[in-house]
Amino acid sequence: MNASKQREEALSGLYPKMVQWRRYLHRNPEVSYQEKETAAFIVGVLTELGCEVRTGLGGYGLIATIKGALPGPTVALRADIDALAIQDQKQVEYASQVPGVMHACGHDGHTATMLAIATYYASVRDRLAGSRRLLFQASEEISPGGALPLIEYGALEGVDAVYGVHLWTPLPYGVVASREGAMMASADEFSLEIVGKGGHGGLPHDTVDAIVVGSDLVMALQTIVSRQVNPLQPAVVSIGTFQAGHTNNIIAGHALLKGTVRAFDPTVRDTIRERIQATVSHICGLYGAEGKLDYRMGYPPVVNDGQEVERFFRVGRQLLGEEAVQTASMVMAAEDFAYYLHHKPGCFIFVGAGNEALQSCYAHHHPMFDLDERAMLVSARLMIELAEDYAASPNEAIL
């Protein structure tokens, strides 16, 4: 029996445990920056496995290291552990027991998958070439996120390559996808307070109407992408909040706008920021209002290394077959896995978890979100095979 087949059998034997872990986490979710019990649960499993564990890294992030007996590279694998402030509406026995909080993005599945990977590697230390560094990252869902603190605490020191997956319901179970270069967008956010001059609805000439100023700005900001960005460079400017006024016959003196900016190219990202600043200054000035803009740069784009994407396609096809491995579409959602790829070569991968028959067809962040749990097994196999292929490449060390 070859090594890959042995790994497949070992992970298949761990699949019931993966499901058990995932459902426990699904019942007991914790939002970003509050993952205390989630981290404690992970540490409990890792400690039983005899892993070296560093905890409390930038909140509740933690790093587990499994050192092999043979020389070889250090490969990092990452899972995020946080949930979202969404009420779970599923009628299943493992539904969230925490009001207003649920795993609506699959991070429970990511964590369970990584615990299975840890279990496997702990069992083959005597045959393992190099080290495997398992990153259980907190607070992915809310910027500034948990990746940067882990990096600051040395998560990537001595690492040769880094891989991550996202269970992805837009793809059907059995399909995996990635792409070279930019795959997921940057995610910046801004809030704009417009300070005008309120007054009587029948005397508009004595006021500076913050609603009119804000309305003009909403329309003007849409022209940044449509008229000031190369149409071959995807980008989005969206206004999600417009708050102003309290009653029908009083002109509002204040308004608050909040929005998001998405882009794949750093130059486009910077251009949009500059154009938003200029547009706010110009239009507020025309009306005699003051515009207080708070612009925050969030996660950068996820940009995959070309050589590691080639590895993904080769290893993925060997593992799952030609038709199961696809080129991912570019996605305007963001991921702080991007920070790891700024420092080390690696690859981020979508693993199909959608299945209409199992009601796992809802969008991420939807209150009915669920997974085809078999996708966890695909994820575990894929990440381990990528790590072992990397380890075998320079020195022919094979588990």
Side-chain angles (χ1 to χ4, degrees):
M1 184 184 298
N2 65 32
S4 179
K5 189 65 176 178
Q6 289 176 338
R7 290 191 284 268
E8 180 183 357
E9 289 193 358
L11 289 169
S12 294
L14 289 170
Y15 177 67
K17 198 69 175 177
M18 277 191 243
V19 172
Q20 179 183 336
W21 285 327
R22 185 255 168 169
R23 294 187 177 189
Y24 169 82
L25 293 166
H26 202 85
R27 292 187 194 98
N28 299 278
E30 294 176 299
V31 296
S32 303
Y33 303 100
Q34 298 179 31
E35 308 98 326
K36 180 179 179 180
E37 297 304 321
T38 302
F41 173 77
I42 295 167
V43 170
V45 175
L46 295 174
T47 300
E48 287 186 8
L49 295 173
C51 298
E52 296 179 21
V53 185
R54 296 174 60 199
T55 63
L57 306 181
Y60 295 106
L62 57 98
I63 300 172
T65 301
I66 300 173
K67 295 180 179 179
L70 304 175
T74 297
V75 180
L77 306 174
R78 177 268 206 167
D80 37 16
I81 69 174
D82 52 329
L84 287 149
I86 298 172
Q87 178 62 46
D88 196 348
Q89 295 181 5
K90 295 189 301 299
Q91 300 300 311
V92 294
E93 59 88 15
Y94 52 87
S96 172
Q97 298 176 0
V98 182
V101 181
M102 71 172 288
H103 275 287
C105 203
H107 297 185
D108 52 343
H110 301 168
T111 303
T113 297
M114 195 63 74
L115 289 174
I117 290 172
T119 303
Y120 169 75
Y121 275 129
S123 72
V124 295
R125 286 186 180 93
D126 60 331
R127 295 177 282 140
L128 179 62
S131 296
R132 301 297 174 266
R133 190 169 298 167
L134 310 183
L135 312 179
F136 291 86
Q137 183 205 303
S139 309
E140 186 277 332
E141 293 288 0
I142 299 178
S143 181
L148 284 177
L150 274 192
I151 293 169
E152 291 168 1
Y153 278 98
L156 298 180
E157 289 180 6
V159 165
D160 296 283
V162 58
Y163 303 106
V165 303
H166 205 304
L167 299 172
W168 199 243
T169 58
L171 289 177
Y173 164 72
V175 172
V176 296
S178 189
R179 67 181 297 123
E180 180 178 354
M183 177 169 143
M184 300 183 75
S186 59
D188 303 328
E189 60 187 48
F190 63 89
S191 64
L192 170 61
E193 182 186 359
I194 299 168
V195 182
K197 179 183 177 184
H200 196 287
L203 302 170
H205 56 290
D206 291 332
T207 73
V208 177
D209 191 334
I211 290 178
V212 171
V213 178
S215 299
D216 201 346
L217 273 167
V218 169
M219 298 308 296
L221 292 175
Q222 302 312 303
T223 68
I224 292 175
V225 171
S226 67
R227 289 297 178 267
Q228 300 177 61
V229 172
N230 186 332
L232 300 179
Q233 293 278 12
V236 167
V237 176
S238 294
I239 308 298
T241 294
F242 189 152
Q243 299 172 344
H246 300 285
T247 191
N248 67 310
N249 65 343
I250 298 176
I251 289 175
H254 289 78
L256 179 65
L257 280 67
K258 293 183 179 181
T260 186
V261 175
R262 309 287 170 128
F264 293 97
D265 181 90
T267 301
V268 171
R269 186 186 188 194
D270 290 338
T271 296
I272 292 175
R273 180 183 184 180
E274 293 168 2
R275 296 313 304 157
I276 288 176
Q277 291 170 333
T279 301
V280 168
S281 178
H282 176 67
I283 290 180
C284 286
L286 285 177
Y287 286 96
E290 180 183 4
K292 299 179 180 180
L293 179 65
D294 181 13
Y295 197 103
R296 300 182 181 183
M297 303 291 277
Y299 302 158
V302 172
V303 181
N304 286 323
D305 178 81
Q307 184 173 336
E308 295 310 317
V309 172
E310 289 181 10
R311 188 187 310 277
F312 156 74
F313 276 99
R314 175 172 50 79
V315 170
R317 286 166 178 157
Q318 292 170 355
L319 194 67
L320 303 170
E322 188 80 21
E323 298 300 319
V325 184
Q326 300 180 1
T327 299
S329 300
M330 298 170 76
V331 177
M332 280 291 178
E335 245 284 353
D336 70 350
F337 190 84
Y339 291 118
Y340 302 113
L341 295 175
H342 274 208
H343 294 272
K344 299 292 179 179
C347 182
F348 196 62
I349 301 156
F350 291 144
V351 173
N355 187 332
E356 290 191 12
L358 299 177
Q359 296 295 302
S360 59
C361 53
Y362 290 92
H364 291 251
H365 296 207
H366 190 283
M368 289 288 288
F369 180 84
D370 207 352
L371 301 167
D372 186 329
E373 292 172 318
R374 295 175 299 169
M376 296 188 295
L377 184 55
V378 175
S379 294
R381 291 181 63 199
L382 183 59
M383 283 204 281
I384 288 175
E385 293 300 328
L386 286 169
E388 297 322 304
D389 187 85
Y390 188 96
S393 297
N395 57 19
E396 302 302 318
I398 301 176
L399 283 179

